[in-house]
């Protein structure tokens, strides 16, 4: 009986968490492989990122886009933390949120993750199936 009262009291939050969970699950299945295919083969071979996001945009628009991307990242991280105890893809949602955030050393962390042999093999398997050259980690 207490559980039903709790569910009724937080019904809207549970529906939102469920909706975010479904969306992140679909994004994880569809968008992540697409992004792995679109990344240039030498993207992780450089020690630093070479170009700035939205570099061709005016500074004010670039600031708004960057703030929006980071806000979405923080929302996904918070939703993922909630989904660790509620129904949903908590860890996947947190990872997607972290990928959207900008923080010092992010590229180094991404390179570290991609360099792990099982992940590297999986990414190159997906790229090979799409007819793309394998990722290169060192030049």
């Amino acid at each position: 009986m207490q559980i039903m009262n709790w569910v009724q009291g937080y019904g809207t939050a549970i529906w939102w968490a469920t909706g975010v969970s479904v969306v992140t699950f679909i994004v994880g299945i569809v968008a992540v492989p697409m992004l792995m295919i679109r990344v240039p083969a030498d993207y992780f071979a450089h020690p630093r990122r070479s170009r700035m996001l939205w570099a061709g945009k005016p500074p004010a628009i670039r600031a708004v886009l960057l703030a929006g991307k980071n806000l979405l990242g923080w929302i996904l991280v918070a939703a993922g933390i909630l989904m660790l105890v509620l129904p949903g893809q908590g860890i996947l949602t947190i990872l997607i949120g972290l990928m959207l955030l900008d923080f010092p050393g992010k590229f180094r962390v991404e390179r570290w993750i991609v360099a792990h042999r099982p992940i590297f093999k999986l990414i190159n398997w997906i790229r090979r199936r799409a007819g793309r050259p394998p990722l290169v980690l060192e030049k």
Side-chain angles (χ1 to χ4, degrees):
M1 189 64 161
Q2 287 180 342
I3 293 175
M4 291 304 290
N5 290 337
W6 182 84
V7 169
Q8 289 174 348
Y10 293 100
T12 304
I14 292 172
W15 280 110
W16 272 103
T18 303
V20 170
S21 172
V22 169
V23 168
T24 56
F25 181 72
I26 292 169
V27 166
I29 289 175
V30 175
V32 171
M34 286 176 46
L35 290 172
M36 285 187 234
I37 292 167
R38 294 191 68 198
V39 168
D42 66 343
Y43 182 76
F44 292 105
H46 306 288
R48 297 190 187 275
R49 284 217 169 103
S50 59
R51 71 175 178 90
M52 202 164 113
L53 190 60
W54 300 305
K57 303 280 185 201
I61 293 174
R62 189 170 53 232
V64 169
L65 291 172
L66 190 61
K69 181 178 79 85
N70 281 304
L71 178 63
L72 178 61
W74 280 114
I75 289 170
L76 288 174
V77 168
I81 291 170
L82 288 174
M83 284 183 229
L84 291 174
V85 294
L86 297 171
Q89 304 288 326
I91 294 174
L92 178 61
T93 305
I94 291 170
L95 289 174
I96 291 171
L98 287 174
M99 291 182 76
L100 287 173
L101 291 174
D102 288 316
F103 55 88
K106 177 183 167 186
F107 185 65
R108 195 170 56 243
V109 171
E110 289 172 345
R111 285 182 70 195
W112 179 78
I113 291 170
V114 168
H116 281 78
R117 187 163 176 78
I119 295 171
F120 187 69
K121 285 176 67 175
L122 174 65
I123 291 171
N124 280 333
W125 177 79
I126 291 170
R127 290 176 64 85
R128 186 173 42 252
R129 288 194 53 164
R132 301 289 300 208
L135 284 180
V136 178
L137 293 178
E138 301 292 329
K139 272 214 166 203

